[in-house]
Amino acid sequence: MYVTSQQLLVATPPEETRMYHNPFYTPEVQGPYELISIGRLELERGGVIRDCRLAVATRGTLNEARDNAILIPTWFTGTHQAWLDTYIGPGHALDPSKYFIVIVNQIGNGLSTSPHNTEDESIAMSRFPFVTIGDDVVAQERLLREHFDITELFAVVGASMGAQQAYEWAVRFPDRVHRVAPIAGTAKNTPHDVLFTQVLLDAVTSDPGFKGGEHTSNEDVEVGLKRHARVWAVMGLSTEWWKQEAWRDLGMETPQQTVQEFLEPIFASLDPNSLLVMGRKWQHGDVSRHTDGDLAEALGRVRAKVFSMPISEDMFFPVRDCAAEVDLIPGAELRVIDDLAGHFGLFGFVPSYMEQVNQHLEELFAS
Amino acid sequence: MYVTSQQLLVATPPEETRMYHNPFYTPEVQGPYELISIGRLELERGGVIRDCRLAVATRGTLNEARDNAILIPTWFTGTHQAWLDTYIGPGHALDPSKYFIVIVNQIGNGLSTSPHNTEDESIAMSRFPFVTIGDDVVAQERLLREHFDITELFAVVGASMGAQQAYEWAVRFPDRVHRVAPIAGTAKNTPHDVLFTQVLLDAVTSDPGFKGGEHTSNEDVEVGLKRHARVWAVMGLSTEWWKQEAWRDLGMETPQQTVQEFLEPIFASLDPNSLLVMGRKWQHGDVSRHTDGDLAEALGRVRAKVFSMPISEDMFFPVRDCAAEVDLIPGAELRVIDDLAGHFGLFGFVPSYMEQVNQHLEELFAS
């Protein structure tokens, strides 16, 4: 077999690769997805992902007019599976019998190209470059155009960091997206969110097992990942959710059990570097990058119909922050989702959450 | 010189003592205070402080009827100085020309008997016992009775952990306190607060320099103490305080500067074990300990007139949690203080804060 010098360069001995196997990021856990390479991706803040692979799941069929595509980017720690489990299917607004739904896992989320799964040693683990919300949107646009031959989107629907990506689409490609539904998220990260994200990342990086990103398994960082989970307990769920003992709906019997058997295992299974890549991306999400910091000008560019849907009890994307952005977007509407859980209402713990989301999305899709 | 065996036991060589000098806990920084020993204090959860010293500051004069005494217990990390700086003086409801005001630093706060300042090696540093809100109130009652000959209190005024102590007074000694003003605090810690306190403590104890409480200086734990400060940035101040750039009132120019030059230095100067003693005490504050967990029964015992004063933007003692307790206390009133800062409004960043507190306290004191 003929071996090129390039292949020799890539073919490092197994003991020198810094990839590691993390069972959370497998089709067995996440359900099936396709890994699609969009090629070389130059990044907004410098650096490059030479072979950027996006983990994609689709539902439904693209119509002949190619105008029924809905893009769904993922949230912090989220994957396509969370959307398939809760938001998509017959009876939902996101109905595969009407729309061609493309869920794209964000760069660095552990399924798409990420620090622990890349074969490119130059960006493995601690060397992974800084990725922005803009980089994800550029990658998604290329994926849709080159792989699916889609140039216009019926809608972008995204929650939390997905909402950041949805806003980036609306500002960056105002003529190519017709409807945008940012759920529980903002176009420009608030100062408080910058600080909150830092606390989340501190919890992970402070674990000596993290080794500056050169850990060999998420298990090395178990202590830090569990600390990270406990920060989420305080900010991801509302004071009232805990007080009303809503964790009983999850089959839990005490708050401590909820933390130890529900939240900690979820976060302990993730790759620490993935959290870092996503957290930094989240921390710097800001569409006013395109307008020298002028948020009104950036949001004034939006041509899509926007329904911003904050969650009533959200501790860090409060309704008023979303309302202030709606005021800057032509024709946008504020649709508050009433949910006790706060930000983690996104997981659809209670049926009334999806009922509200479906109602708003149906109205948006009919507009 | 005659040396008893007891003295020999205590007189360990200097190199073996685990005390260390922390300049924050000195009269130079805190202003003058008196260290008063109340003797041996048996603790609620076991253990003993053999020579419990309370750091006390007073203002005003006890009248002949001995019925004008107001007790002020301190908050988490707080000392008497915070009260003297902001709440007490001519023109304030807490007016030394009318009342004899006794500010008692809580046990473990770094001024009263604390892990880093005790000469008793059996409770120094990591060996310091678990202290409860009830232990503080027992100590305060003894101090007032034995040292000041005070058996009835005109009022107890306390904020945050001071509010917990104020409620403990009202439930534990219902006939001996006539007015209670808990500011930004609850009688029973909420489940969310238990989790929040844990995040605060995690930030400190996760620093390898903490050494399980056997550090030799707060400087050993600088990294953890600064992490702790950054958690406070997210929860002690409201999302809106950050958004409205209220830090400009503190002379700061960016959120980052506010964190690095205002919050981090404050918390980095504290003793880590002090934070632990206070944090655990806070975490377990609950007057329903006296009634087998029945909060309604415990609060039903209160005979004092209670004005509960939550702060409108408080992220972790939300108004509704305080309102729910007011509903359980005979004749109690909810007096919401409108303040952008959230919990740290307690520091009186803006004049309108103290105006509101003074107005409510004057009304309470006139009742």
Side-chain angles (χ1 to χ4, degrees):
Chain A
M1 184 179 150
Y2 184 66
V3 178
T4 66
S5 61
Q6 176 66 22
Q7 279 175 306
L8 274 172
L9 200 69
V10 172
T12 47
E15 62 270 26
E16 287 194 18
T17 183
R18 284 135 85 228
M19 291 172 72
Y20 77 91
H21 178 72
N22 180 319
F24 181 77
Y25 304 112
T26 57
E28 288 71 39
V29 172
Q30 297 299 333
Y33 56 89
E34 195 180 354
L35 263 184
I36 304 175
S37 173
I38 59 156
R40 180 182 177 90
L41 185 69
E42 303 277 351
L43 299 170
E44 184 177 319
R45 293 202 170 203
V48 60
I49 299 177
R50 288 185 284 198
D51 177 25
C52 182
R53 298 180 193 181
L54 298 177
V56 180
T58 67
R59 290 293 185 276
T61 310
L62 188 62
N63 62 13
E64 283 195 17
R66 313 189 89 72
D67 65 2
N68 70 333
I70 296 178
L71 171 70
I72 299 179
T74 59
W75 61 60
F76 183 77
T77 77
T79 69
H80 60 283
Q81 195 57 36
W83 282 87
L84 292 172
D85 285 347
T86 306
Y87 290 80
I88 295 168
H92 286 298
L94 291 165
D95 183 345
S97 73
K98 295 182 188 168
Y99 305 108
F100 179 54
I101 300 166
V102 184
I103 318 170
V104 183
N105 290 271
Q106 65 170 294
I107 297 166
N109 85 328
L111 294 178
S112 293
T113 297
S114 297
H116 87 283
N117 73 10
T118 179
E119 292 164 8
D120 179 352
E121 281 292 299
S122 74
I123 60 168
M125 300 303 274
S126 68
R127 297 182 197 161
F128 207 79
F130 191 107
V131 180
T132 68
I133 293 287
D135 293 325
D136 271 285
V137 168
V138 166
Q140 289 155 11
E141 191 276 337
R142 196 193 300 173
L143 170 84
L144 291 169
R145 184 166 36 81
E146 295 187 351
H147 192 83
F148 294 106
D149 194 17
I150 294 169
T151 51
E152 293 199 19
L153 285 168
F154 180 84
V156 181
V157 179
S160 198
M161 283 188 73
Q164 292 184 308
Q165 294 166 73
Y167 274 122
E168 178 79 12
W169 263 94
V171 171
R172 193 168 195 130
F173 302 115
D175 299 322
R176 292 171 55 189
V177 52
H178 299 292
R179 294 160 196 84
V180 173
I183 303 171
T186 55
K188 178 184 165 81
N189 216 15
T190 64
H192 182 269
D193 252 3
V194 174
L195 299 170
F196 167 48
T197 320
Q198 194 58 49
V199 168
L200 284 169
L201 301 187
D202 280 355
V204 175
T205 58
S206 62
D207 185 336
F210 176 65
K211 296 195 178 112
E214 292 297 330
H215 49 281
T216 55
S217 160
N218 55 308
E219 290 170 13
D220 298 348
V221 198
E222 185 185 354
V223 170
L225 291 168
K226 288 183 174 176
R227 272 203 296 278
H228 179 98
R230 294 197 290 275
V231 177
W232 275 114
V234 173
M235 292 295 285
L237 294 153
S238 77
T239 59
E240 199 63 12
W241 189 85
W242 289 106
K243 193 172 179 196
Q244 293 196 17
E245 304 190 350
W247 31 263
R248 293 197 188 279
D249 295 342
L250 304 175
M252 298 290 150
E253 292 179 5
T254 64
Q256 286 66 34
Q257 187 191 9
T258 308
V259 170
Q260 288 165 16
E261 297 181 21
F262 176 63
L263 294 171
E264 290 184 359
I266 291 175
F267 289 97
S269 66
L270 305 174
D271 175 59
N273 280 325
S274 262
L275 296 180
L276 237 69
V277 172
M278 289 186 284
R280 289 178 182 150
K281 194 194 292 183
W282 169 11
Q283 199 168 32
H284 295 82
D286 178 5
V287 295
S288 77
R289 295 173 351 276
H290 299 295
T291 50
D292 288 329
D294 187 331
L295 184 63
E297 190 187 331
L299 291 178
R301 291 184 181 177
V302 175
R303 295 290 163 269
K305 177 72 178 172
V306 175
F307 276 16
S308 171
M309 305 185 202
I311 298 174
S312 57
E313 293 279 348
D314 202 313
M315 299 278 287
F316 55 97
F317 286 120
V319 172
R320 59 186 165 201
D321 286 354
C322 298
E325 293 187 340
V326 163
D327 289 344
L328 301 175
I329 304 169
E333 296 183 31
L334 184 74
R335 301 292 182 108
V336 179
I337 299 167
D338 189 40
D339 197 285
L340 186 65
H343 198 71
F344 282 1
L346 292 179
F347 291 103
F349 294 144
V350 288
S352 62
Y353 171 81
M354 267 318 297
E355 288 164 16
Q356 295 172 79
V357 170
N358 278 329
Q359 193 177 326
H360 296 309
L361 286 181
E362 273 162 20
E363 204 175 324
L364 178 66
F365 294 168
S367 71
Chain B
M1 184 179 153
Y2 185 66
V3 178
T4 66
S5 62
Q6 176 65 22
Q7 279 174 305
L8 275 172
L9 201 67
V10 172
T12 47
E15 62 268 26
E16 287 195 16
T17 183
R18 285 135 85 228
M19 291 172 73
Y20 77 91
H21 178 72
N22 180 317
F24 182 78
Y25 304 111
T26 56
E28 289 71 39
V29 173
Q30 298 299 332
Y33 56 89
E34 195 181 353
L35 262 184
I36 304 175
S37 174
I38 60 156
R40 180 182 177 88
L41 184 69
E42 303 277 350
L43 300 170
E44 184 177 319
R45 292 201 170 204
V48 61
I49 300 177
R50 288 187 284 198
D51 178 25
C52 182
R53 298 178 195 182
L54 298 177
V56 180
T58 68
R59 289 294 185 276
T61 310
L62 189 62
N63 63 14
E64 283 195 16
R66 314 190 87 74
D67 65 2
N68 71 333
I70 296 178
L71 171 69
I72 299 179
T74 59
W75 62 59
F76 182 77
T77 78
T79 70
H80 60 283
Q81 196 56 35
W83 282 86
L84 293 172
D85 285 347
T86 306
Y87 290 80
I88 295 168
H92 285 298
L94 291 165
D95 183 346
S97 73
K98 296 182 188 167
Y99 304 109
F100 180 55
I101 300 166
V102 185
I103 318 170
V104 183
N105 290 272
Q106 65 170 295
I107 298 167
N109 85 327
L111 294 177
S112 294
T113 297
S114 297
H116 88 282
N117 73 9
T118 179
E119 293 164 8
D120 179 351
E121 281 292 300
S122 74
I123 60 167
M125 300 303 274
S126 68
R127 297 182 197 160
F128 207 79
F130 192 108
V131 180
T132 67
I133 293 287
D135 293 324
D136 271 286
V137 169
V138 165
Q140 290 156 11
E141 192 276 337
R142 196 193 300 174
L143 169 85
L144 291 169
R145 185 166 36 79
E146 296 187 350
H147 191 82
F148 294 105
D149 194 17
I150 294 169
T151 51
E152 293 199 17
L153 285 168
F154 181 84
V156 181
V157 180
S160 198
M161 282 187 74
Q164 292 184 308
Q165 294 166 72
Y167 274 122
E168 178 79 13
W169 263 94
V171 170
R172 193 167 194 130
F173 302 115
D175 299 322
R176 293 171 57 187
V177 52
H178 299 292
R179 294 160 196 83
V180 173
I183 303 170
T186 55
K188 179 184 165 80
N189 216 14
T190 64
H192 181 270
D193 252 3
V194 174
L195 299 171
F196 168 48
T197 320
Q198 194 58 49
V199 168
L200 283 169
L201 301 186
D202 280 354
V204 175
T205 58
S206 61
D207 186 335
F210 175 66
K211 296 195 179 113
E214 292 298 331
H215 50 280
T216 56
S217 160
N218 56 309
E219 291 170 13
D220 299 348
V221 197
E222 186 185 353
V223 171
L225 290 169
K226 288 183 173 177
R227 271 203 295 276
H228 179 98
R230 294 198 290 276
V231 177
W232 275 114
V234 174
M235 293 295 285
L237 293 153
S238 76
T239 59
E240 198 63 10
W241 189 86
W242 290 105
K243 193 173 179 197
Q244 294 196 17
E245 305 191 350
W247 31 264
R248 293 197 187 278
D249 295 342
L250 304 175
M252 298 290 150
E253 292 178 5
T254 64
Q256 286 66 34
Q257 188 191 9
T258 309
V259 170
Q260 288 165 16
E261 296 181 22
F262 176 64
L263 295 172
E264 289 184 359
I266 291 176
F267 289 98
S269 67
L270 305 175
D271 176 59
N273 280 325
S274 261
L275 296 180
L276 238 70
V277 172
M278 290 186 283
R280 288 178 183 151
K281 195 195 290 185
W282 169 11
Q283 200 168 30
H284 293 83
D286 178 5
V287 295
S288 78
R289 297 174 348 278
H290 299 295
T291 50
D292 289 330
D294 187 331
L295 184 63
E297 191 187 331
L299 291 177
R301 290 183 182 179
V302 175
R303 295 291 163 269
K305 178 71 178 174
V306 175
F307 276 16
S308 172
M309 305 186 203
I311 298 174
S312 56
E313 291 280 349
D314 202 313
M315 299 278 287
F316 55 97
F317 285 120
V319 173
R320 60 187 165 200
D321 286 354
C322 298
E325 293 186 341
V326 163
D327 289 344
L328 301 175
I329 304 169
E333 296 183 31
L334 184 74
R335 301 292 182 107
V336 179
I337 299 168
D338 189 40
D339 198 284
L340 187 65
H343 198 72
F344 281 1
L346 292 179
F347 290 103
F349 294 143
V350 288
S352 63
Y353 171 81
M354 267 317 298
E355 289 163 15
Q356 294 173 79
V357 170
N358 279 329
Q359 192 177 328
H360 295 310
L361 286 182
E362 273 162 22
E363 204 175 323
L364 178 66
F365 294 168
S367 72

